Amino acid sequence: MRTQVGIVGAGPAGLILAQLLHLAGIESVILENRSREYVEHRVRAGLLEQGTVDLLTEIGAGERLKEEALEHHGIYLQFDGRREYIAATEITGRSIHIYGQQEIVKDLIAQRLGYDGPLLFEVDDVAVHDFDKHGEPRITYTHEGRQQRLECDVIAGCDGFHGVCRPAIPKGVLTTYQREYPFAWLGILAEVAPSTDELIYAHHPNGFALHSMRSSTVSRLYLQVKPDEQIEYWSDKRIWAELQTRFALAGWTLQEGPVIEKGITPMRSFVTEPMQSGRLYLAGDAAHIVPPTGAKGLNLAAQDVRVLAEALVAWYSTGDTAQLDGYSDRALRRVWRVQDFSHYMTTLLHRLGDDPFDDRLQRARLEYVTSSDAAAKSLAENYVGLPEY
Ligand code: FAD
Ligand code: DHB
């Protein structure tokens, strides 16, 4: 089989890229190792920047999103028994939307299959070959028990943090930058109406907690836990008790309900530079991970492929490689801005350790960001997403 762009991974990055290319008349094949059922039900991110909503709308994947997404205009920061509001829309003119990542993935898969766009699920043994500048890139894989080979002009590695594309890049090409945090997030989905109109980020002596939501009947909540925490030790009763403690506020009640999903996510910051090698281009989690506190992972993946698609379109239409050669530099500018913001939000809100000095600094910062217009503006414009990056 031959195509123009071979895409590994049907997460948000791979699926958005395929649609952008399709709209520009460029062919692609997406290879995904999981089943359709699995990727459509994997619970992950939920908060979309305005730029991501605009991009999904532009590529024709915004219809259900427009009907079902919840539009938010700010966030609450809770600390020291107070809950303060950062009015992000008033400050920036832009808003954010709540819409589950798996809903985006469902919409994009339906769109792709709607025009018979090649998208293979349950593909095994994916390997990428011969992608140096003068090579003939190809992807080998097994599908329905048969070994296959896909020849292409370029390969897009959209296969997430644990994928095969980044490790296939020859030694010495990539430099990686990373930080592990001494905590993880325990996340739940619960069948209960959200107890808040907009998201609450809470700093508490026991650790960070986040109250998010998916709809008017489903809440999404997170707790900071130890990095090696075992989910078996967290009964629903214990989770709710800890959430009650960390969100406690006079005159406000956290409503409880049946837990329908729970899991633990490690926290790390990770960047690989460059995000390309020869004719292999990495995008999304394959190239970088941000800690989830800034809600940026999915949004960043969408912006990577927007830049990559523009570069591929320029190359196919003019033969000029300048934009493709500059892909990594352009994408990394935003990646590092977002890394900094995600690190800032993480260290602002989590319990970092046992040193009371850290806690006093955090409370001073929270006090500042909720009382100074200049500080609130900085948080707000990063949270809703900087359009010019
Ligand atoms: P992915 O969504 O990871 O997609 C990669 C795809 O490639 C997957 O479908 C995978 O199955 C496939 N794949 C992997 N290896 C291969 C292979 N060898 N061959 C073929 N296909 C392959 N972000 C937030 O902002 N907030 C959150 O609360 C949040 N929670 C998260 C929870 C978890 C458990 C994880 C892992 C991530 C979370 N994120 C969160 C981050 C966010 O979901 C990611 O940034 C986003 O999914 C990135 O999209 P992507 O397309 O780059 O990668
Ligand atoms: C959600 C996740 C985040 O990491 C965040 O900062 C805000 C919302 C969510 O899953 O809804």
Side-chain angles (χ1 to χ4, degrees):
M1 203 174 11
R2 193 177 160 86
T3 190
Q4 290 176 294
V5 181
I7 301 177
V8 185
L15 290 163
I16 295 173
L17 177 63
Q19 178 63 8
L20 283 164
L21 295 176
H22 171 70
L23 293 174
I26 299 170
E27 285 174 12
S28 66
V29 173
I30 313 178
L31 304 174
E32 165 62 48
N33 65 352
R34 301 286 193 162
S35 66
R36 178 177 181 182
E37 169 77 13
Y38 183 90
V39 298
E40 289 190 343
H41 293 93
R42 187 164 45 191
V43 178
R44 287 187 170 178
L47 192 126
L48 309 184
E49 294 175 357
Q50 184 71 56
T52 307
V53 171
D54 293 346
L55 179 63
L56 290 167
T57 307
E58 245 171 73
I59 65 173
E63 229 164 85
R64 196 160 66 94
L65 187 155
K66 193 170 160 219
E67 293 299 311
E68 296 179 17
L70 306 171
E71 185 174 4
H72 285 190
H73 301 292
I75 54 169
Y76 296 101
L77 294 179
Q78 182 170 328
F79 59 103
D80 274 348
R82 324 165 13 200
R83 188 173 292 169
E84 306 288 348
Y85 188 62
I86 305 277
T89 301
E90 203 181 297
I91 297 170
T92 64
R94 296 194 296 284
S95 55
I96 52 235
H97 288 77
I98 293 282
Y99 190 66
Q101 178 168 327
Q102 75 273 29
E103 304 306 320
I104 296 179
V105 165
K106 273 182 210 159
D107 295 345
L108 289 164
I109 289 174
Q111 184 184 47
R112 177 80 174 169
L113 298 178
Y115 61 83
D116 288 330
L119 164 51
L120 304 183
F121 293 101
E122 298 179 69
V123 159
D124 292 318
D125 311 319
V126 172
V128 292
H129 313 271
D130 209 11
F131 49 80
D132 64 42
K133 252 207 158 68
H134 307 291
E136 291 178 358
R138 61 183 195 285
I139 309 175
T140 53
Y141 58 95
T142 310
H143 189 233
E144 293 172 346
R146 288 174 44 196
Q147 276 208 326
Q148 305 281 358
R149 170 191 168 112
L150 174 68
E151 291 171 4
C152 41
D153 301 328
V154 299
I155 300 170
C158 300
D159 50 347
F161 186 65
H162 300 287
V164 294
C165 290
R166 192 181 65 252
I169 294 176
K171 262 204 164 65
V173 173
L174 302 180
T175 304
T176 57
Y177 301 87
Q178 55 189 319
R179 176 148 307 174
E180 303 276 336
Y181 298 91
F183 36 79
W185 275 19
L186 188 163
I188 63 163
L189 266 185
E191 262 170 356
V192 57
S195 305
T196 177
D197 56 343
E198 301 202 337
L199 272 53
I200 309 168
Y201 288 80
H203 173 70
H204 186 274
N206 284 15
F208 169 72
L210 170 61
H211 188 335
S212 181
M213 60 198 72
R214 286 294 175 268
S215 67
S216 59
T217 54
V218 176
S219 296
R220 175 94 170 130
L221 297 115
Y222 297 95
L223 284 171
Q224 174 184 354
V225 294
K226 289 186 296 189
D228 54 352
E229 192 61 77
Q230 303 293 311
I231 196 77
E232 297 74 46
Y233 296 135
W234 286 83
S235 63
D236 296 357
K237 197 168 160 225
R238 180 175 175 206
I239 292 171
W240 282 114
E242 194 55 34
L243 288 166
Q244 292 289 2
T245 303
R246 297 192 195 178
F247 284 117
L249 189 75
W252 180 82
T253 313
L254 175 65
Q255 300 297 339
E256 300 184 10
V259 174
I260 48 177
E261 211 268 348
K262 61 180 164 181
I264 291 183
T265 309
M267 302 267 285
R268 62 166 77 85
S269 301
F270 175 92
V271 181
T272 188
E273 290 191 4
M275 289 167 56
Q276 64 197 75
S277 174
R279 301 220 213 151
L280 169 63
Y281 300 87
L282 303 176
D285 279 15
H288 42 69
I289 295 286
V290 287
T293 329
K296 293 294 181 206
L298 166 62
N299 294 293
L300 199 51
Q303 292 307 319
D304 281 355
V305 293
R306 187 179 58 82
V307 172
L308 181 56
E310 261 178 46
L312 286 166
V313 171
W315 178 55
Y316 276 115
S317 54
T318 66
D320 184 355
T321 62
Q323 278 200 50
L324 265 183
D325 295 343
Y327 161 67
S328 178
D329 286 347
R330 191 168 159 210
L332 281 168
R333 200 168 162 256
R334 187 182 191 92
V335 167
W336 279 110
R337 171 88 299 287
V338 166
Q339 282 292 349
D340 178 43
F341 178 67
S342 303
H343 178 265
Y344 162 79
M345 288 290 279
T346 301
T347 51
L348 177 72
L349 290 159
H350 289 74
R351 181 182 170 125
L352 302 175
D354 296 329
D355 187 344
F357 189 79
D358 283 331
D359 181 60
R360 297 299 295 143
L361 284 183
Q362 284 173 308
R363 283 156 62 193
R365 276 187 207 145
L366 283 160
E367 173 77 43
Y368 179 53
V369 83
T370 53
S371 60
S372 151
D373 288 348
K377 185 169 180 182
S378 170
L379 190 153
E381 70 175 4
N382 279 279
Y383 192 79
V384 301
L386 288 159
E388 62 274 23
Y389 267 79

